[in-house]
């Protein structure tokens, strides 16, 4: 059952696809207090029993269970994902409350700042505050967590499905200098039989970091390179950023300006901020015409043969504006008057650090919404990246409505899950970030983002080979399996490491699993389900399972439980039912160990990782390949325990169902 309550004048966020009539009477489950408009205007609160669990909020720090922290929905370009953070790149305003005595969901369709105090001030109380006060609140009721998750997806629409090749391994790095280097990366993978389906091109490919341009010196024969890469079964995936450099004579700027496609200051002049290309204008994605113009910019690249893109810097990230620069210098001039006052240094630091992504800057530009309203940016801030994704996807559809393209974005809002996937932004080569990514998976799925992944190996800092290997072991199960790292960090391609053969063997498991993973992914999308689920979703009666933070259900048959700690040679696992442990070293080399319900210690040396398959079920393991084009959907092995009579319906990319029966080996 879904109830809707409107507050103030809600914005059209494109998040909801169902037309839910407004409900009468008091809001169930919540206390509601309406305050002054524009100032923490609406508060929703509820009390919590000690054992209540909170799922949701998609891309956020900390655990699967969100209780015990304060989160703020405010899309932020923020590279240090430490556990004190309240915001990351996205805003996903869904919360499911699950306890002995209650079960409900709440969704705030609100594009402005929302604060979620989930037992932070008081462990037994949750308080959610909308700054705007212009929103639709949805209350979801159902008889299980799974039922509410499904209901929410029906409310917000079907998840995006990429082409199957996007499930292949993708190599990426900020800093590939040009075609020669990029070709070498592909060659090194192929030479060593390390599977590969995609190569991302970061901002280095652009002419002066300008969107929709090409640095001809570095990439002298783009068409030839693209074609050769495709012959090698590799897709090139360019990055596109949100900002468009203000420069007359630059086609994207000129055409955007002519179409009045950019955000403006209150008086109507262009809003400008510095990002990678220098001073930029920002497409007004809230506006239909601007979206159409932006979508058209991809066309020459699509015509050239590109089939996948990643959209970045779309919170939008602002390095500084002329105004924020002025404010910082004013503080510096003030400090120069009192050099003896060392405490002023703190203000100085804050002033310069605060130049980027400054709240005042977000209050200084305006959008023309589709409904004609002119709206100040901060009121709808969290929509910006989502609407960039929308513009891009609309551009793809206009180019070819029948083709699937790969698209993933850094910033997102619920609704964007219908148009593309997400990656989790600039993580670090830290062990804690392996776990952070794991924790985000089910909550992202809950919010509709089935196609997701993190930078394997870690983006910032120098990785180590054991960390990369453990990241890859998680990556085997992630829809987006991409190794990405930052400029000036240790080179992170698999072949750079002494244990590259171990890493290659890990990837063979991925390719053997792609038919199954893709099938489970598409089923989850089409049935409004989740690929990754907290154990509580499948075993709500099992008190031990519902509080398990470091294991996840995967698809219909499996459970995953990665190793998260450096130098660990195994881990404890709780099995909510009898399961077959598949301990993989490669697609050819794995142990099959039946384990009964209960606690187990599983030994997992560095090159080993587990997949647990429910007793009486099996998974289809394909012979694998070095790229998805060569995957064969015919000869499956069927590891399973006691699976007599079991059948798996494999959903293939061409939408054909292939019935696979269990065979005893
Ligand atoms: C941002 C992105 C990162 C990319 C870099 C350069 O930090 O999050 O993935 O490599 O910009 O484009």
């Amino acid at each position: 059952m879904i109830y809707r309550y409107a507050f103030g004048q809600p914005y059209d966020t494109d998040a909801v696809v169902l037309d839910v009539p407004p409900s009468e009477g008091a809001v169930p489950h919540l206390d509601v207090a309406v305050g002054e408009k524009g100032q923490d205007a609406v508060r929703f609160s509820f009390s919590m029993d000690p054992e209540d669990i909170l799922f949701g909020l998609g891309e956020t720090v900390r655990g699967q269970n969100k209780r015990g922290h304060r989160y703020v929905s405010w899309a932020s370009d923020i590279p240090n994902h430490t556990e004190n953070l309240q915001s990351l790149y996205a805003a996903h305003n869904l919360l499911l409350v699950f306890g002995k005595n209650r079960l409900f969901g709440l969704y705030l369709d609100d594009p402005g700042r929302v604060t979620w105090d989930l037992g932070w001030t008081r462990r037994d109380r949750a308080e959610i505050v909308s700054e705007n006060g212009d929103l639709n609140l949805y209350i979801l009721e159902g008889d299980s967590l799974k039922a509410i998750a499904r209901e929410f997806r029906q409310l917000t629409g079907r998840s995006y499905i990429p082409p199957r090749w996007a499930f292949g391994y993708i190599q990426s790095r900020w800093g590939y200098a040009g075609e020669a280097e990029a070709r070498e990366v592909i060659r090194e993978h192929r030479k060593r039989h390390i599977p590969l389906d995609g190569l991302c091109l970061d901002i280095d490919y652009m002419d002066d970091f300008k969107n929709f341009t090409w640095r001809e010196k570095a990439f002298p024969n783009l068409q030839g390179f693209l074609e050769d890469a495709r012959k090698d079964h590799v897709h090139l995936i360019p990055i596109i950023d949100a900002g468009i450099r203000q420069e007359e004579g630059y086609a994207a700027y000129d055409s955007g300006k002519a179409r009045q496609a950019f955000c403006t200051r209150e008086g109507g002049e262009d809003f400008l901020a510095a990002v990678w290309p220098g001073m930029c204008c920002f497409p007004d994605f809230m506006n239909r015409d601007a979206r159409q113009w932006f979508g058209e910019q991809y066309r020459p690249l699509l015509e050239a043969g590109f089939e996948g893109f990643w959209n970045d810097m779309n919170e939008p990230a602002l390095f500084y504006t002329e105004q924020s620069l002025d404010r910082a210098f004013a503080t510096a001039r003030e400090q120069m008057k009192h050099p003896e006052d060392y405490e002023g240094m703190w203000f100085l630091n804050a002033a310069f650090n605060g130049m980027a992504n400054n709240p005042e800057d977000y209050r200084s530009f305006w959008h023309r919404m589709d409904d004609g309203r002119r709206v100040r940016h901060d009121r709808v801030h969290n929509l910006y990246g989502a609407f960039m994704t929308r513009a891009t996807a609309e551009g793809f559809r206009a180019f070819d409505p029948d083709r699937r393209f790969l698209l993933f974005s850094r910033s997102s809002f619920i609704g964007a899950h219908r148009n593309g996937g997400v990656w989790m932004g600039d993580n670090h080569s830290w062990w804690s970030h392996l776990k952070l990514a794991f924790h985000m998976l089910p909550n992202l799925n809950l919010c509709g983002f089935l196609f997701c992944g993190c930078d394997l190996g870690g983006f910032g800092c120098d990785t180590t080979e054991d960390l990369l290997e453990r990241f890859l072991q998680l990556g085997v199960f992630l829809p987006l399996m991409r190794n990405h790292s930052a400029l000036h960090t240790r080179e992170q391609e698999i072949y750079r490491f002494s244990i590259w053969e171990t890493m290659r063997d890990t990837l063979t498991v991925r390719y053997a699993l792609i038919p199954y993973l893709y099938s489970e992914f598409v089923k989850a999308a089409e049935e409004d389900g989740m690929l990754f689920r907290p154990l509580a979703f499948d075993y709500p009666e099992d008190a031990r399972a519902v509080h398990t933070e470091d294991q996840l259900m995967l698809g219909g048959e499996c459970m995953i439980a990665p190793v998260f700690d450096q130098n660990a040679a195994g881990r404890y696992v709780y099995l909510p039912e009898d399961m077959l442990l598949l301990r993989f070293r490669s697609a050819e080399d794995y142990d099959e160990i039946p384990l009964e319900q209960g606690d187990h210690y599983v030994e997992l040396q560095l090159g080993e990782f587990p997949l647990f398959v429910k007793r009486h079920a099996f998974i289809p393991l394909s012979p694998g390949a070095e790229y998805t084009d060569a995957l064969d959907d015919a000869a499956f092995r069927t590891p399973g325990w006691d699976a007599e009579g079991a059948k798996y319906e494999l959903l293939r990319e061409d939408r054909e169902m292939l019935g696979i029966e269990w065979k005893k080996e």
Side-chain angles (χ1 to χ4, degrees):
M1 192 65 200
I2 307 178
Y3 306 88
R4 174 168 77 88
Y5 301 87
F7 295 83
Q9 289 178 290
Y11 296 96
D12 179 4
T13 63
D14 191 44
V16 164
V17 297
L18 272 191
D19 191 12
V20 183
S23 298
E24 305 285 325
V27 177
H29 307 288
L30 304 179
D31 300 327
V32 181
V34 178
E36 217 174 292
K37 211 169 155 77
Q39 275 190 338
D40 297 348
V42 187
R43 285 169 192 269
F44 306 103
S45 51
F46 59 95
S47 59
M48 292 186 284
D49 291 334
E51 70 281 0
D52 284 355
I53 294 177
L54 306 175
F55 293 114
L57 296 190
E59 187 184 278
T60 39
V61 297
R62 302 209 178 197
Q64 289 184 35
N65 177 354
K66 307 317 293 183
R67 188 165 175 175
H69 189 49
R70 187 166 61 181
Y71 300 91
V72 176
S73 298
W74 184 258
S76 305
D77 165 30
I78 205 153
N80 281 314
H81 306 167
T82 48
E83 68 179 66
N84 56 307
L85 285 191
Q86 299 181 338
S87 312
L88 287 172
Y89 308 86
H92 301 144
N93 294 333
L94 171 70
L95 198 70
L96 263 53
V97 184
F98 169 64
K100 256 201 214 122
N101 303 317
R102 63 171 140 200
L103 175 62
F104 68 96
L106 62 113
Y107 172 58
L108 269 66
D109 190 5
D110 180 344
R113 183 187 293 270
V114 178
T115 303
W116 305 77
D117 180 337
L118 305 180
W120 183 80
T121 302
R122 287 179 55 150
R123 176 119 190 110
D124 62 351
R125 194 100 193 130
E127 187 171 71
I128 301 146
V129 179
S130 159
E131 185 179 279
N132 282 347
D134 293 312
L135 71 145
N136 277 304
L137 165 74
Y138 293 86
I139 299 288
L140 303 134
E141 288 179 351
D143 55 15
S144 66
L145 284 162
K146 278 187 181 173
I148 295 181
R150 175 158 298 120
E151 194 172 50
F152 182 64
R153 197 78 58 71
Q154 283 156 358
L155 178 69
T156 53
R158 199 142 276 183
S159 296
Y160 159 80
I161 301 175
R164 192 177 72 163
W165 66 261
F167 274 62
Y169 179 64
I170 299 174
Q171 177 57 47
S172 181
R173 181 169 171 85
W174 175 13
Y176 290 145
E179 182 181 318
E181 195 174 337
R183 280 180 186 268
E184 192 193 320
V185 173
I186 296 174
R187 222 171 21 245
E188 286 297 324
H189 281 79
R190 288 285 176 252
K191 190 171 88 192
R192 295 159 193 254
H193 307 289
I194 301 170
L196 186 70
D197 265 271
L199 185 78
C200 283
L201 299 175
D202 207 319
I203 50 172
D204 327 272
Y205 80 78
M206 297 177 190
D207 178 25
D208 264 350
F209 307 140
K210 289 185 294 192
N211 278 338
F212 312 114
T213 67
W214 218 266
R215 197 150 58 91
E216 299 211 347
K217 260 200 177 142
F219 292 87
N221 176 11
L222 177 61
Q223 197 66 42
F225 178 34
L226 188 67
E227 283 161 17
D228 288 351
R230 274 306 289 131
K231 276 188 214 134
D232 239 340
H233 307 280
V234 173
H235 296 260
L236 300 182
I237 307 161
I239 195 171
I240 300 290
D241 286 343
I244 299 284
R245 174 145 105 195
Q246 188 201 37
E247 179 190 297
E248 277 171 30
Y250 159 40
Y253 172 75
D254 289 344
S255 64
K257 185 80 186 151
R259 296 269 289 266
Q260 298 186 319
F262 298 128
C263 296
T264 50
R265 289 188 167 272
E266 193 164 12
E269 63 279 21
D270 285 343
F271 168 76
L272 294 172
V275 204
W276 304 122
M279 277 300 171
C280 287
C281 291
F282 292 83
D284 188 354
F285 298 119
M286 308 302 160
N287 179 267
R288 193 171 293 112
D289 294 337
R291 278 200 303 279
Q292 195 190 2
W293 160 79
F294 192 77
E296 285 163 10
Q297 304 306 303
Y298 289 80
R299 186 171 272 264
L301 294 169
L302 296 169
E303 280 167 350
F306 289 98
E307 295 169 286
F309 296 86
W310 47 312
N311 281 350
D312 192 21
M313 308 304 276
N314 50 8
E315 294 70 29
L318 313 175
F319 292 168
Y320 58 84
T321 59
E322 223 181 281
Q323 294 70 18
S324 72
L325 203 58
D326 272 353
R327 288 192 293 269
F329 279 110
T331 311
R333 280 192 294 273
E334 206 43 45
Q335 172 67 7
M336 281 168 72
K337 292 184 198 153
H338 313 282
E340 74 290 351
D341 171 17
Y342 74 89
E343 285 190 343
M345 175 194 75
W346 302 113
F347 296 107
L348 207 54
N349 275 346
F352 280 90
N353 289 330
M355 280 187 326
N357 308 321
N358 189 285
E360 264 187 60
D361 288 330
Y362 288 128
R363 284 194 289 270
S364 72
F365 65 100
W366 294 71
H367 299 282
R368 281 183 300 134
M369 306 297 280
D370 279 345
D371 63 9
R373 270 206 265 180
R374 203 162 176 245
V375 170
R376 204 174 72 190
H377 174 78
D378 60 309
R379 297 286 172 220
V380 291
H381 171 75
N382 291 332
L383 289 182
Y384 194 78
F387 275 48
M388 179 183 183
T389 302
R390 183 178 174 188
T392 307
E394 287 168 353
F396 292 169
R397 282 196 279 273
F399 176 70
D400 186 344
D402 300 321
R403 248 201 17 238
R404 294 190 189 285
F405 293 92
L406 168 62
L407 176 62
F408 54 99
S409 167
R410 196 169 72 175
S411 186
S412 62
F413 188 79
I414 289 170
H417 69 282
R418 302 192 301 271
N419 291 319
V422 291
W423 94 99
M424 300 168 189
D426 297 348
N427 65 355
H428 281 64
S429 298
W430 296 343
W431 290 86
S432 59
H433 279 184
L434 188 51
K435 200 168 218 175
L436 176 60
F438 185 78
H439 283 159
M440 281 195 240
L441 292 173
N443 288 319
L444 278 168
N445 271 215
L446 196 53
C447 295
F449 293 92
L450 297 184
F451 191 74
C452 56
C454 63
D455 289 351
L456 299 175
F459 174 76
C461 303
D462 294 335
T463 201
T464 56
E465 48 186 10
D466 54 350
L467 178 60
L468 177 57
E469 168 59 16
R470 292 298 192 195
F471 255 114
L472 292 171
Q473 293 174 1
L474 170 65
V476 162
F477 305 109
L478 300 182
L480 172 63
M481 187 185 194
R482 184 177 77 137
N483 175 343
H484 181 50
S485 54
L487 190 69
H488 304 312
T489 59
R490 180 178 185 179
E491 290 171 313
Q492 203 166 282
E493 296 77 18
I494 285 178
Y495 55 83
R496 311 273 182 195
F497 298 95
S498 73
I499 59 164
W500 67 269
E501 285 160 305
T502 305
M503 296 177 186
R504 179 190 63 192
D505 290 349
T506 300
L507 291 200
T508 63
V509 182
R510 165 61 162 212
Y511 277 73
L513 280 172
I514 284 179
Y516 172 68
L517 288 174
Y518 192 72
S519 167
E520 287 300 296
F521 180 96
V522 175
K523 286 181 192 172
E526 293 190 340
E527 292 162 15
D528 296 323
M530 294 157 72
L531 185 65
F532 298 104
R533 296 174 307 279
L535 269 51
F537 280 60
D538 290 46
Y539 307 95
E541 307 290 335
D542 179 340
R544 179 81 171 70
V546 300
H547 292 286
T548 299
E549 281 279 319
D550 58 354
Q551 303 173 199
L552 285 173
M553 302 311 293
L554 164 65
E557 288 69 26
C558 305
M559 186 180 79
I560 56 172
V563 170
F564 294 111
D565 297 305
Q566 186 158 33
N567 301 319
R571 57 161 289 171
Y572 285 96
V573 179
Y574 172 69
L575 301 192
E577 60 176 293
D578 293 352
M579 291 181 177
L580 177 69
L581 160 65
L582 295 177
R583 181 166 48 201
F584 283 111
R585 286 171 290 277
S586 76
E588 297 299 321
D589 180 14
Y590 54 89
D591 306 316
E592 296 186 49
I593 305 171
L595 294 175
E596 289 184 352
Q597 189 274 342
D599 287 291
H600 297 270
Y601 181 78
V602 178
E603 281 183 26
L604 298 159
Q605 301 301 326
L606 182 57
E608 296 181 323
F609 61 102
L611 177 64
F612 298 88
V613 182
K614 291 181 195 170
R615 187 172 184 174
H616 309 306
F618 69 90
I619 54 159
L621 261 193
S622 91
E626 283 181 38
Y627 40 85
T628 51
D629 289 344
L631 279 174
D632 178 358
D633 280 350
F636 289 99
R637 271 169 297 157
T638 56
W641 171 23
D642 257 0
E644 279 87 6
K647 211 171 158 195
Y648 180 76
E649 296 286 342
L650 185 87
L651 185 58
R652 302 196 322 190
E653 189 172 27
D654 60 9
R655 287 293 191 272
E656 290 289 311
M657 275 285 192
L658 183 72
I660 302 174
E661 282 173 20
W662 185 65
K663 297 183 294 284
K664 203 167 181 149
E665 277 175 26

